[in-house]
């Protein structure tokens, strides 16, 4: 637990909430004059035992439950980045999932301009793998430039996707299916992901691979065979990143080299000197 950072974050955000906004009367006589909710009022609003919040803010609550942290984050109106900070300060780890289910479903519009400026194939999807933005170079990968609405469903279930993703059974599906499992662990109530899982389990080919339970958390740096609609067979190396305002979303940059075999030099590791 990072007690100093935790105390600073909680005090700052607690001070911004007017007691009157939650039905509390501010004392008029002698007594407390500190801005914002009192620690006792926080306990009342969260239906917690008196002194619970004080223990947390003072740094005397080791390993507090994430349910308490989530309730406090929502009461204090934290955004997703502050929610991550709260969990890191209190638990020394990232949160198990987003603060709000709606988080990760949208990114600032400037991302389209950013993606357009990338010379390689590039796109942005939300936390459910729904397409948000892509560049023209990415559209050329598909016949007639028709980009799929959901890249996860396309990779796992679409017949054209299985033709495009060469060696699908060994080079793609075993690596993509664990990402579905990981996404559902963080977003168990996501209807789109649940529907994709249902479709995966309904087909023996994908169900067997899904049941294998392989661990592959992300594709960043992976190189896999791919059939490009215009450039033919080749190898694509994936660079993955996440827009910070949308947890679970992803920016994918696909570096494609045509050719049946890997004839291009593989990039090394970048390190600061």
């Amino acid at each position: 637990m990072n007690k100093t950072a935790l105390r600073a974050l909680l005090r700052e955000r607690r001070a911004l909430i007017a007691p009157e906004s939650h039905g509390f009367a501010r004392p008029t006589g002698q007594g407390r004059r500190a801005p914002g909710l009192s620690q006792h009022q926080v306990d009342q609003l969260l239906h917690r035992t008196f002194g619970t919040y004080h223990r947390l803010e003072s740094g005397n609550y080791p390993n507090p439950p994430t349910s308490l942290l989530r309730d406090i984050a929502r009461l204090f109106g934290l955004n997703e980045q502050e929610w991550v900070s709260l969990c890191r300060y209190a638990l020394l780890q990232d949160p198990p999932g987003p603060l709000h289910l709606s988080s990760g479903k949208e990114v600032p519009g400037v991302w389209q301009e950013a993606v357009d400026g990338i010379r390689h194939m590039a796109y942005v999807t939300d936390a459910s793998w729904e397409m948000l933005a892509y560049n023209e170079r990415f559209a050329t990968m598909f016949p007639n430039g028709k980009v799929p609405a959901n890249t996860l469903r396309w990779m796992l279930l679409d017949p054209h996707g299985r033709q495009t993703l060469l060696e699908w059974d060994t080079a793609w599906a075993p690596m993509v299916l664990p990402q579905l499992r990981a996404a559902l662990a963080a977003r168990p109530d996501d209807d789109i992901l649940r529907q994709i899982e249902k479709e995966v389990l309904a087909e023996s080919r994908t169900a067997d691979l899904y049941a294998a339970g392989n661990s592959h958390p992300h594709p960043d740096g992976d190189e896999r065979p791919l059939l490009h609609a215009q450039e033919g067979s080749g190898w694509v190396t994936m660079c993955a990143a996440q827009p910070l305002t949308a947890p679970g979303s992803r920016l994918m940059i696909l570096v494609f080299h045509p050719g049946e075999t890997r004839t291009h030099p593989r990039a090394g590791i970048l390190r600061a000197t």
Side-chain angles (χ1 to χ4, degrees), residues 210-232:
Y210 194 53
N214 293 333
S215 175
H216 195 81
H218 61 74
D220 191 31
D222 285 359
E223 185 179 39
R224 301 177 195 167
L226 182 141
L227 179 62
H228 193 285
Q230 294 186 10
E231 301 182 44

Side-chain angles (χ1 to χ4, degrees), residues 39-181:
Q39 294 181 347
H40 179 50
Q41 288 168 342
V42 174
D43 287 330
Q44 289 180 271
L45 290 171
L46 298 182
H47 305 288
R48 293 306 202 281
T49 304
F50 177 74
T52 298
Y53 178 78
H54 171 72
R55 289 177 59 203
L56 179 67
E57 188 176 292
S58 63
N60 294 315
Y61 197 154
N63 300 314
T66 54
S67 59
L68 172 62
L69 298 179
R70 188 180 297 275
D71 287 346
I72 290 172
R74 288 175 173 168
L75 174 62
F76 289 4
L78 302 190
N79 60 34
E80 292 295 335
Q81 287 70 50
E82 291 166 335
W83 165 235
V84 170
S85 296
L86 176 61
C87 290
R88 288 177 178 175
Y89 297 157
L91 301 171
L92 301 181
Q93 64 186 35
D94 286 341
L99 183 58
H100 303 287
L101 186 59
S102 59
S103 298
K105 297 293 187 176
E106 58 185 22
V107 298
V110 71
W111 272 101
Q112 180 63 66
E113 184 177 351
V115 167
D116 288 338
I118 298 173
R119 71 181 182 90
H120 296 288
M121 297 186 288
Y123 65 90
V124 176
T125 55
D126 69 11
S128 304
W129 270 264
E130 296 281 279
M131 185 63 65
L132 296 180
Y134 60 87
N135 61 11
E136 292 183 11
R137 184 74 184 274
F138 179 63
T140 65
M141 193 181 97
F142 305 90
N144 302 319
K146 188 175 181 180
V147 175
N150 186 290
T151 57
L152 184 61
R153 177 178 279 109
W154 179 82
M155 288 188 290
L156 293 176
L157 300 161
D158 189 287
H160 176 259
R162 296 178 183 182
Q163 294 172 4
T164 301
L165 308 177
L166 301 177
E167 301 177 27
W168 181 86
D169 290 279
T170 56
W172 289 91
M175 314 303 176
V176 177
L177 284 164
Q179 295 178 61
L180 171 59
R181 191 184 301 277

Side-chain angles (χ1 to χ4, degrees), residues 170-244:
T170 56
W172 289 91
M175 314 303 176
V176 177
L177 284 164
Q179 295 178 61
L180 171 59
R181 191 184 301 277
L184 280 168
R187 296 174 175 269
D189 299 322
D190 189 300
D191 292 337
I192 295 175
L193 295 176
R194 281 293 173 205
Q195 178 59 34
I196 294 174
E197 183 186 50
K198 182 179 179 180
E199 295 171 30
V200 164
L201 295 174
E203 182 183 336
S204 60
R205 190 177 181 187
T206 48
D208 290 344
L209 290 169
Y210 194 53
N214 293 333
S215 175
H216 195 81
H218 61 74
D220 191 31
D222 285 359
E223 185 179 39
R224 301 177 195 167
L226 182 141
L227 179 62
H228 193 285
Q230 294 186 10
E231 301 182 44
S233 299
W235 296 85
V236 63
T237 303
M238 289 165 282
C239 301
Q242 178 178 276
L244 294 180

